[in-house]
Amino acid sequence: MPKIVIALGGNALQSKDSASTAEAQLEVAKQTCERVAELSRGGYEMAIVHGNGPQVGRILLASETARDTVPPMPFDVCGAMSQGYIGYHLQQALRYSLASRGLNIPVVSLVTQMIVEKADPAFQNPTKPIGGFYTEAEAKELENTKGYAMKEDAGRGWRRVVASPLPRRIVEIDQVRQLWDSSIVITCGGGGIPVIENADGTLEGVAAVIDKDFAAELLAEQMDADILMILTEVEKAAIHWGKPNQESLDHMSLAQAAQYVEEGHFAPGSMLPKVQACMKFVRTNPHKRAIITSLDKAIEALRGETGTVISFA
Ligand code: ADP
Ligand code: MG
C-alpha cells in the first residue's frame, strides 16, 4: 500500500465561525476525521501531523493569566500539552470514523520531540509572537528576570517572541516506524516539541516554534513515504495570489517551483513553507510526489483530479 504523510492545517481543527473551545474543536475534528478515514479506505497507509498554533497560544495565555495562582508552564510544556489534547481529539474522532467504515485500525498519538540545533541562525532573530500582551515595563521585567525576547507588536503592546528553527531529527522516529505497520500514528504535532541535544546526550526543551509542514516533510522523508500531502484551506496554490491575474497551479516541477518562490508568489509563514517542504521532499527522490490541497478535496487530489502536485520533473 502506498505510504502517505498527511499534514493537517489550522482549519482541520477550528473553523472560522466556531468558538475557540475544546468542544468546538472536537466537532471540527470529527468532520476532519471523516475525510481522513475515507483516505484510509482508499488503501493508503498513513501518519498524521497537525498544526497547533492557536491551541498552544491559548494554553500559554491561560497559564500566563493564572500566574498569580499557579506557576506558568514553560512553552515547550505548553507544546506537549497541545499535542496531547489535539491527539486525543483526533484519536477519538478517527477511531469512530474508521470503525463506521468497518476499519478497525488503531489510532495512536505520540508525544513527539524534535531536535533543533542550538546554532540554528533562527535563534539569533526570534520572530514568532506567542502568548499575551504586556506593558513595556512588564516586558523589560520579563527580559531581565526570565531572559525572554520581547518585541513591540504593531502598537498593540509587547509580546514574547520565539525563534522558528528548522526541524533536524525526530527523537521518536523508531517508535513511529514500529507503530506504522499496525496503526495510524499522529506524530510531530505542532512540528514537534523543540529540544536541543546537549553534549552529554541529554535533551532539553527550548522555547521555539517549529513549522509543522517542515516537520511533516522530515517525517515523510524518514518513513520513506510515497506522498507528502499538505491539507490546508485552499484547493490549489496559486501564483499572483490575491491579484486579478491570480492563477491556480495544477502542477509544478522542482524548477518551476523554485522560480515561483524566487519571484515571491508564496506568502512567508503560510504558503511558502508548504511549497518549500514539498520541494525538499521530491528532491530526495524523483519518484515521490507532494500535494497541496484542501481537506475537502484530498481524495480527488490523490486520484489526480485536483490540488497542486509538486514533482521532480
Ligand atoms: P495552515 O493552517 O493550513 O498551515 P496557512 O494559513 O498557514 O495554513 O497557509 C495557507 C494559506 O496561505 C491559504 O489559506 C492562503 O490564504 C494563503 N496563501 C498565501 N499565498 C498563497 C498562494 N500563493 N496560493 C495559495 N494560497 C496562498
Ligand atoms: Mg492557517
Side-chain angles (χ1 to χ4, degrees), residues 8-11 212-213 231-234 236-239 241 265-267 269-271 274:
L8 296 175
N11 70 326
K212 68 109 180 32
D213 297 312
L231 299 179
T232 184
E233 278 180 46
V234 290
K236 294 176 186 183
I239 50 172
W241 170 252
H265 287 288
F266 310 118
S270 60
M271 189 50 74
K274 297 182 199 314

Side-chain angles (χ1 to χ4, degrees), residues 5 7 212-213 228-232 273-274 277-278 291-294:
V5 168
K212 68 109 180 32
D213 297 312
L228 169 65
M229 188 155 78
I230 298 181
L231 299 179
T232 184
K274 297 182 199 314
C278 291
I291 305 172
I292 298 170
T293 193
S294 64

Side-chain angles (χ1 to χ4, degrees):
M1 272 201 268
K3 286 175 158 184
I4 174 166
V5 168
I6 297 174
L8 296 175
N11 70 326
L13 295 168
Q14 196 175 341
S15 76
K16 279 196 187 78
D17 27 58
S18 71
S20 54
T21 61
E23 290 80 1
Q25 174 173 295
L26 182 58
E27 287 312 308
V28 179
K30 284 178 183 170
Q31 294 162 29
T32 296
C33 288
E34 283 290 293
R35 309 281 176 187
V36 176
E38 277 301 305
L39 295 179
S40 178
R41 185 161 71 173
Y44 292 91
E45 281 180 14
M46 61 175 78
I48 298 171
V49 175
H50 58 79
N52 76 341
Q55 291 84 359
V56 75
R58 286 193 288 269
I59 292 170
L60 182 67
L61 191 57
S63 185
E64 287 176 346
T65 306
R67 66 183 172 273
D68 296 331
T69 313
V70 286
M73 292 289 178
F75 190 59
D76 57 323
V77 175
C78 295
M81 290 167 79
S82 75
Q83 285 186 348
Y85 95 98
I86 294 170
Y88 157 61
H89 277 170
L90 292 172
Q91 256 176 246
Q92 194 177 71
L94 187 53
R95 178 191 152 94
Y96 174 83
S97 295
L98 290 166
S100 67
R101 288 165 175 79
L103 298 167
N104 291 306
I105 308 170
V107 184
V108 53
S109 47
L110 203 63
V111 172
T112 316
Q113 304 173 89
M114 182 70 84
I115 293 183
V116 298
E117 276 164 22
K118 214 173 189 166
D120 193 302
F123 284 111
Q124 301 309 312
N125 180 30
T127 54
K128 296 266 179 192
I130 56 165
F133 291 89
Y134 293 89
T135 65
E136 187 170 358
E138 288 168 333
K140 296 292 169 218
E141 170 82 13
L142 285 168
E143 273 178 347
N144 294 332
T145 58
K146 297 224 167 182
Y148 290 178
M150 306 293 293
K151 270 191 189 155
E152 216 276 326
D153 189 336
R156 296 184 297 172
W158 289 72
R159 279 180 101 182
R160 184 177 179 196
V161 286
V162 297
S164 187
L166 286 177
R168 296 294 182 177
R169 190 152 57 82
I170 301 162
V171 176
E172 289 81 10
I173 189 69
D174 290 338
Q175 286 64 49
V176 176
R177 217 166 258 136
Q178 283 172 18
L179 288 165
W180 185 293
D181 292 329
S182 63
S183 314
I184 294 178
V185 191
I186 300 160
T187 180
C188 300
I193 305 162
V195 295
I196 51 170
E197 192 169 27
N198 293 316
D200 64 358
T202 55
L203 300 178
E204 188 181 328
V206 289
V209 171
I210 300 173
D211 186 280
K212 68 109 180 32
D213 297 312
F214 289 148
E217 190 283 329
L218 189 60
L219 176 68
E221 226 180 273
Q222 303 239 296
M223 289 308 306
D224 196 24
D226 302 286
I227 301 169
L228 169 65
M229 188 155 78
I230 298 181
L231 299 179
T232 184
E233 278 180 46
V234 290
E235 188 173 338
K236 294 176 186 183
I239 50 172
H240 307 293
W241 170 252
K243 300 197 186 108
N245 58 340
Q246 176 174 326
E247 195 185 318
S248 294
L249 300 163
D250 297 327
H251 175 254
M252 287 189 270
S253 66
L254 254 185
Q256 280 167 335
Q259 189 190 330
Y260 293 147
V261 167
E262 178 78 10
E263 290 169 1
H265 287 288
F266 310 118
S270 60
M271 189 50 74
L272 181 61
K274 297 182 199 314
V275 172
Q276 288 173 327
C278 291
M279 290 171 68
K280 182 158 184 275
F281 182 62
V282 300
R283 198 180 287 127
T284 61
N285 181 332
H287 302 291
K288 310 246 159 173
R289 212 165 24 123
I291 305 172
I292 298 170
T293 193
S294 64
L295 198 53
D296 295 351
K297 300 289 177 182
I299 297 166
E300 286 101 312
L302 279 176
R303 285 197 219 111
E305 293 164 10
T306 186
T308 301
V309 176
I310 295 95
S311 60
F312 192 87

